[in-house]
């Protein structure tokens, strides 16, 4: 069962854009005394709660979805995808979802592990074709498990390399320029002092996802974005999802601008994706050799997708690798990815349990252990989490928000409050 509706708040007025699938247990929005979900809130109360949340935290736009019993229950969009052009958010708005992207990278890699092309405890350098060693511990191999649990020792000293990789046309830089001593982008700060795999050496690494994407290319001999399209997005019917901006040539107006909220000025500054409806000049990849530069398609955070498409991916993991009779991973592989491989305490307290690029937490919904990932970049906050045993979960994407301080736990207050509202409305009284 699924109910979809979209609302836009502006100038103190509530506008309703109807897009309703009337199925079991739900009625149209016009009947405001009806329940929005199983948790007891009426549609009027739900509207008021969302309005208050957006006003309190200066949320430009948000999209969210809820899944239960292995299928989508609800999805919707509120506010603005583009403030200047007054384009509303709907459940089909395309967002750059930040670090949730890493779960897709890991899923792609684990498909290749299932094919016997690699093992998670294999030396990464053996696959890349170039040595990958921490100079502080040259005798210690760095494995894919290390990359996916952020225990490789890699630090995020990679921004200049990524920027220059994206600015080249055609691209010529390679990972060797970054990770090999003597490379033009190599720095001693690339590596931490802990041994690879050291449980006390957790350091969240975006660069690890870049290297993992390069491994996907080396093992498959396919460009990373094309591999994900063929083996993940097309099978799951995620038709508005890609790591490559060129795939959105006919949908540029659907891409949400990401905004950073300026509290002092009480205004929004563009973070990224303000394309003005125009496709950027294409990059010539004709001479690119797959596996040489995993940064080209921003696997660490550059996936663009809709909340509905991302919900299909979420449901594949909720259902242990299968959705709509399409299996993207074996059940044992999905379980392995969701299981904690690292437990500890990072300095800012956010990561305490890590699967294979999946985060485990009981702090977003207090008392509920959830599996998934969060995203935070260019003003956007995003979250994708599910409960393994009870098979419910949710996605939240905010494209501009006054995040303020962290709440009672590891998350920002807008995340905590929206997650709590979704849980109380749709999931609590299961």
């Amino acid at each position: 069962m699924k109910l979809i509706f979209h609302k836009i708040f502006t100038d103190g007025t509530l506008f309703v854009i109807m897009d309703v699938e009337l199925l079991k247990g739900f009625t149209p929005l016009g009947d405001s005394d009806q329940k929005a979900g199983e948790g007891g809130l009426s549609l009027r109360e739900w509207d008021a709660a969302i309005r208050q949340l957006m006003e309190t935290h200066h949320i430009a736009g948000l999209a969210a979805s809820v899944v239960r019993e292995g299928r989508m229950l609800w999805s919707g969009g509120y506010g603005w995808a583009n403030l200047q052009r007054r384009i509303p958010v709907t459940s089909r708005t395309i967002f750059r979802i930040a670090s949730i992207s890493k779960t897709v990278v890991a899923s792609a890699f684990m498909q290749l592990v299932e094919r016997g092309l690699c093992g998670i405890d294999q030396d990464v350098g053996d696959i890349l074709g170039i040595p990958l060693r921490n100079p502080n511990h040259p005798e210690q191999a760095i494995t894919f498990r290390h990359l996916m649990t952020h225990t490789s020792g890699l630090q995020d000293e990679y921004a200049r390399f990524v920027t220059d990789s994206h600015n080249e046309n055609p691209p010529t830089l390679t990972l060797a320029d970054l990770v090999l001593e003597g490379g033009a982008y190599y720095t001693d700060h690339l590596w931490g002092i802990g041994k690879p795999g050291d449980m006390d050496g957790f350091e969240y690494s975006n660069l690890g996802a870049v290297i993992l994407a390069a491994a996907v290319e080396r093992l498959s001999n396919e460009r990373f974005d094309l591999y994900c399209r063929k083996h993940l997005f097309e099978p799951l019917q995620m038709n508005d999802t890609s790591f490559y901006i060129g795939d959105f040539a006919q949908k540029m107006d659907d891409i949400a601008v990401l905004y950073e909220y300026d509290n002092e000025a009480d205004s929004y500054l563009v973070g990224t994706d303000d394309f003005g409806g125009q496709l950027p000049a294409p990059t010539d990849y004709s001479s690119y050799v797959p596996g040489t530069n995993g940064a080209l398609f921003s696997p660490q955070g550059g996936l663009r997708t809709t909340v509905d498409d991302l919900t299909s991916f979420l449901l594949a993991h909720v259902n242990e690798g299968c959705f709509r009779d399409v299996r993207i991973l074996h059940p044992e592989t999905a379980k392995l990815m969701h299981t904690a491989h690292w437990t500890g305490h990072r300095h800012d307290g956010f990561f305490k349990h890590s699967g294979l690029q999946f985060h485990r937490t009981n702090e977003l919904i207090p008392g509920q252990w959830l599996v998934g990932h969060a995203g935070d970049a260019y003003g956007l906050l995003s979250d994708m989490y599910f409960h393994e045993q009870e098979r419910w979960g949710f996605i939240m994407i905010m494209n501009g928000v006054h995040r303020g301080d962290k709440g009672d736990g590891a998350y920002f207050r807008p995340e905590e409050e929206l997650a709590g509202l979704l849980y109380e409305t749709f999931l609590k009284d299961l």
Side-chain angles (χ1 to χ4, degrees), residues 242-309:
S242 182
F243 281 99
Y244 176 44
I245 189 63
D247 287 338
F248 300 110
Q250 304 304 316
K251 303 174 182 179
M252 295 303 295
D253 284 331
D254 295 330
I255 296 178
V257 179
L258 305 189
Y259 297 99
E260 297 181 358
Y261 180 73
D262 184 336
N263 188 41
E264 292 186 2
D266 188 24
S267 63
Y268 297 93
L269 304 176
V270 171
T272 193
D273 277 12
D274 188 10
F275 295 110
Q278 301 299 310
L279 184 69
T283 299
D284 178 9
Y285 293 112
S286 61
S287 60
Y288 172 66
V289 178
T292 56
N293 188 348
L296 293 180
F297 301 99
S298 299
Q300 74 279 10
L303 182 67
R304 292 181 176 88
T305 187
T306 68
V307 72
D308 281 356
D309 274 11

Side-chain angles (χ1 to χ4, degrees), residues 196-211:
D198 184 348
M199 298 299 278
D200 294 325
F202 180 99
E203 187 66 38
Y204 188 83
S205 174
N206 289 291
L207 180 54
V210 169
I211 293 173

Side-chain angles (χ1 to χ4, degrees), residues 262-371:
D262 184 336
N263 188 41
E264 292 186 2
D266 188 24
S267 63
Y268 297 93
L269 304 176
V270 171
T272 193
D273 277 12
D274 188 10
F275 295 110
Q278 301 299 310
L279 184 69
T283 299
D284 178 9
Y285 293 112
S286 61
S287 60
Y288 172 66
V289 178
T292 56
N293 188 348
L296 293 180
F297 301 99
S298 299
Q300 74 279 10
L303 182 67
R304 292 181 176 88
T305 187
T306 68
V307 72
D308 281 356
D309 274 11
L310 189 60
T311 301
S312 296
F313 177 77
L314 170 63
L315 284 167
H317 276 275
V318 171
N319 296 325
E320 299 181 347
C322 184
F323 180 57
R324 295 195 185 112
D325 298 321
V326 173
R327 180 161 293 284
I328 61 168
L329 292 167
H330 297 154
E332 57 271 22
T333 301
K335 291 177 183 178
L336 181 67
M337 297 179 72
H338 305 154
T339 299
H341 294 253
W342 171 87
T343 296
H345 188 79
R346 193 182 179 219
H347 63 85
D348 63 1
F350 185 79
F351 271 87
K352 297 182 177 70
H353 309 273
S354 177
L356 300 180
Q357 289 289 32
F358 276 79
H359 179 213
R360 297 181 63 89
T361 182
N362 65 350
E363 297 187 82
L364 186 53
I365 303 291
Q368 302 289 341
W369 276 101
L370 304 179
V371 178

Side-chain angles (χ1 to χ4, degrees), residues 159-169 171 173 185 293 296:
R160 187 167 63 92
F161 172 79
V162 170
T163 299
D164 289 352
S165 294
H166 290 170
N167 288 339
E168 282 192 317
N169 192 3
L173 292 176
Y185 294 83
N293 188 348
L296 293 180

Side-chain angles (χ1 to χ4, degrees), residues 124-160:
V124 174
D126 290 346
I127 302 301
L128 292 184
I130 55 174
L132 186 69
R133 285 288 192 276
N134 184 336
N136 300 308
H137 305 281
E139 77 291 347
Q140 179 72 47
I142 294 171
T143 70
F144 291 102
R145 190 193 300 266
H146 296 155
L147 292 182
M148 290 188 284
T149 57
H150 304 282
T151 58
S152 68
L154 282 166
Q155 312 292 296
D156 276 345
E157 295 289 335
Y158 75 127
R160 187 167 63 92

